[in-house]
Amino acid sequence: MPEPPSRPTPAEPRPRGGWLSIILTIVFLGIGGVVLFVLSLGQLLPVLVIGALIFLVTGFHYLVWGWWLGKMIQQEAESEDAEQAPRSQE
């Protein structure tokens, strides 16, 4: 029966140079945005503005309702803890 192959030694991890990839991503996204804007004959900007407004309104509601519900849940938990504290001392 042949011997199983030996495990290779792991290679040294390469250092990550993240700035170049970030800059290239921003540049290519910018070029892509300009190309889409030109191809859409200027009709892309209003669509992006409407999308951004919808996103902002949705985010606003998420933050407000999340804050309000978080306070409600915290108050309810505190009141339940206050009700149970005298019982545990008996």
Side-chain angles (χ1 to χ4, degrees):
M1 185 174 233
E3 289 185 29
S6 62
R7 290 188 173 180
T9 58
E12 291 290 322
R14 292 187 295 163
R16 295 182 179 212
W19 288 110
L20 179 62
S21 60
I22 292 171
I23 291 171
L24 284 175
T25 301
I26 291 171
V27 167
F28 285 126
L29 285 174
I31 291 171
V34 169
V35 168
L36 286 174
F37 183 75
V38 170
L39 289 176
S40 66
L41 299 173
Q43 297 300 315
L44 185 63
L45 187 61
V47 172
L48 291 176
V49 169
I50 292 170
L53 287 174
I54 291 172
F55 179 76
L56 287 173
V57 169
T58 304
F60 175 74
H61 279 281
Y62 176 77
L63 289 174
V64 169
W65 280 100
W67 173 77
W68 179 73
L69 279 174
K71 282 187 88 172
M72 294 285 291
I73 291 171
Q74 183 180 10
Q75 288 174 352
E76 186 175 322
E78 287 174 357
S79 66
E80 286 179 5
D81 289 342
E83 288 176 3
Q84 291 177 358
R87 292 182 193 162
S88 62
Q89 293 175 356
E90 293 176 359

